[in-house]
Amino acid sequence: MNDSLIFQHRRSAQSEINTALGSVYTVPFKPVPEIIRTLTIKLAAGMLLQSAYGERSSQASLKLKEARNQIKAMQDRDQTISDEDGHSIAGGGITSWPGEDQPRAFHMGDRF
């Protein structure tokens, strides 16, 4: 396994994590929390195993499933990401302000 393949899968894992968590957290993470560093390694390892042994690799499938389940938990805020002091770094996220049950201020047919 060469360094460029490892780099490619690490970058792919970082991109997947940043894309998935971008609506909940400010990405890219600076500094990168340890849980994100570990998650990136796990996801990249699953991708590398899959690349080396194919789609049927049970070890690759397990690593990818575990990593993606953890990403989903972070997206859903079932698992939080904390800074070095233990404080959550979650932002406000995207909401449907002012709310689906509120009257709309503007309509498609309005002219100004």
Side-chain angles (χ1 to χ4, degrees):
M1 205 171 287
N2 62 38
D3 287 345
S4 64
L5 184 63
I6 293 169
F7 178 78
Q8 176 186 351
H9 286 297
R10 181 180 59 83
R11 294 285 299 171
S12 181
Q14 288 172 333
S15 178
E16 184 173 331
I17 290 168
N18 287 343
T19 300
L21 299 180
S23 64
V24 182
Y25 297 93
T26 302
V27 295
F29 295 98
K30 291 184 183 179
V32 178
E34 192 58 37
I35 194 165
I36 295 299
R37 188 178 316 282
T38 304
L39 182 58
T40 303
I41 292 168
K42 183 185 287 187
L43 187 59
M47 291 175 175
L48 282 165
L49 284 167
Q50 194 171 57
S51 176
Y53 299 107
E55 297 282 329
R56 294 186 181 184
S57 169
S58 60
Q59 196 172 16
S61 296
L62 181 62
K63 282 196 182 302
L64 291 171
K65 182 179 180 182
E66 287 174 354
R68 289 178 175 143
N69 284 344
Q70 191 172 1
I71 292 168
K72 179 76 171 122
M74 290 174 182
Q75 273 182 318
D76 295 342
R77 297 185 186 215
D78 292 334
Q79 180 178 352
T80 60
I81 301 173
S82 302
D83 62 15
E84 296 168 349
D85 299 324
H87 301 103
S88 174
I89 63 170
I94 298 172
T95 63
S96 58
W97 182 86
E100 293 297 322
D101 58 339
Q102 301 295 317
R104 298 196 183 273
F106 302 100
H107 302 282
M108 292 298 290
D110 290 348
R111 291 184 179 218
F112 298 94

